Amino acid sequence: MEDPAIGYGQYCPISRALDLLGERWSLLILRDLCTGTTRFNDLARGLPGLSRSLLTKRLRRFEKAGLVEKMGSRYLLTEAGRELEPILFGLGAWGARWTFGDPMPEELDPDLLVWWMHTRLDTSAFPGKRQVFGVRFTDDPKRYWIVVESGDASVCDTDPGFPVDVTITSDVGTLYQVWLGRIPLHHALRTGRVEFFGPTALTRHMGTVLKLSPVA
């Protein structure tokens, strides 16, 4: 079992930082906090391999260290926590350049991808207060619907019963790579690896609706 009291035992700022941030899942929790996730259940859903007990443990440690503060049901980054953002995204930029090859099958989770996507939609170009996007993968039988109500998005894995404005169709691996900026959306559309189905007046806006990952 991990013992947070056992560190590297070196009087060095890098060592001290790693004592706090070097434990498993810590940087990914902070990644999601930096990209706007603030509620415990949303953090848990975005980190499906992390147990809720360990997430609780990590958040408590971040609170004690002054990286986050809990306000009601939300976990908010403090000034110290926000200063980690350029470090995390710098690590992401390094990873994109030096370690980011084709995805492995065990890395492709359609549930997680759609969950990520729903947090990064700009539907301001669409009419009305409700917009519905269907997501259909060509290599996975599950169906998804993203419902945006007055700018507030949610994910459904059963038909919510509303008319679908645009359906996004792709294989899981391609949409992951588009979302993460490895394959440009226009290239995926031109080659037919991603398709948008719906009225042209709506599909033509999808390039700006899908804001892509902050690390893209």
Side-chain angles (χ1 to χ4, degrees):
M1 182 178 296
E2 296 178 357
D3 183 351
I6 299 174
Y8 291 97
Q10 295 184 4
Y11 186 58
C12 163
I14 296 175
S15 173
R16 288 282 184 91
L18 287 175
D19 285 346
L20 175 60
L21 304 175
E23 295 177 315
R24 183 169 171 80
W25 293 104
S26 290
L27 292 182
L28 293 185
I29 296 168
L30 289 165
R31 174 202 66 187
D32 288 2
L33 289 167
C34 283
T35 55
T37 305
T38 61
R39 299 184 186 278
F40 184 90
N41 286 339
D42 291 342
L43 287 166
R45 187 163 181 179
L47 297 163
L50 172 62
S51 71
R52 296 173 73 88
S53 61
L54 186 55
L55 175 58
T56 298
K57 180 179 179 181
R58 293 288 185 264
L59 288 171
R60 284 175 178 168
R61 186 151 194 230
F62 293 160
E63 282 188 84
K64 185 177 180 180
L67 299 183
V68 301
E69 56 183 349
K70 189 175 182 183
M71 300 187 66
S73 61
R74 303 171 67 202
Y75 291 88
L76 303 177
L77 291 169
T78 63
E79 181 182 0
R82 289 192 300 271
E83 286 191 4
L84 286 168
E85 184 172 337
I87 298 169
L88 287 168
F89 284 99
L91 185 62
W94 181 89
R97 181 175 181 183
W98 296 107
T99 70
F100 205 43
D102 291 334
M104 294 180 286
E106 62 270 21
E107 295 177 316
L108 300 178
D109 181 343
D111 290 356
L112 179 58
L113 175 58
V114 176
W115 178 256
W116 282 345
M117 288 173 57
H118 98 285
T119 67
R120 298 281 294 172
L121 297 177
D122 178 0
T123 59
S124 59
F126 277 35
K129 293 185 177 181
R130 179 193 298 128
Q131 297 84 37
V132 181
F133 301 91
V135 183
R136 178 182 296 175
F137 292 110
T138 58
D139 55 347
D140 190 280
K142 291 188 70 174
R143 295 284 302 278
Y144 302 88
W145 292 262
I146 300 174
V147 180
V148 184
E149 297 264 11
S150 300
D152 186 18
S154 58
V155 176
C156 304
D157 56 13
T158 58
D159 190 341
F162 303 125
V164 174
D165 295 292
V166 176
T167 297
I168 305 165
T169 300
S170 175
D171 64 273
V172 178
T174 293
L175 196 55
Y176 252 106
Q177 292 180 86
V178 168
W179 163 252
L180 290 166
R182 192 161 187 263
I183 297 176
L185 177 59
H186 65 82
H187 175 75
L189 291 169
R190 188 172 63 248
T191 57
R193 297 176 67 181
V194 172
E195 295 181 282
F196 299 135
F197 295 97
T200 303
L202 300 180
T203 59
R204 68 185 181 187
H205 293 294
M206 291 302 292
T208 55
V209 170
L210 297 175
K211 305 306 289 184
L212 306 187
S213 167
V215 302

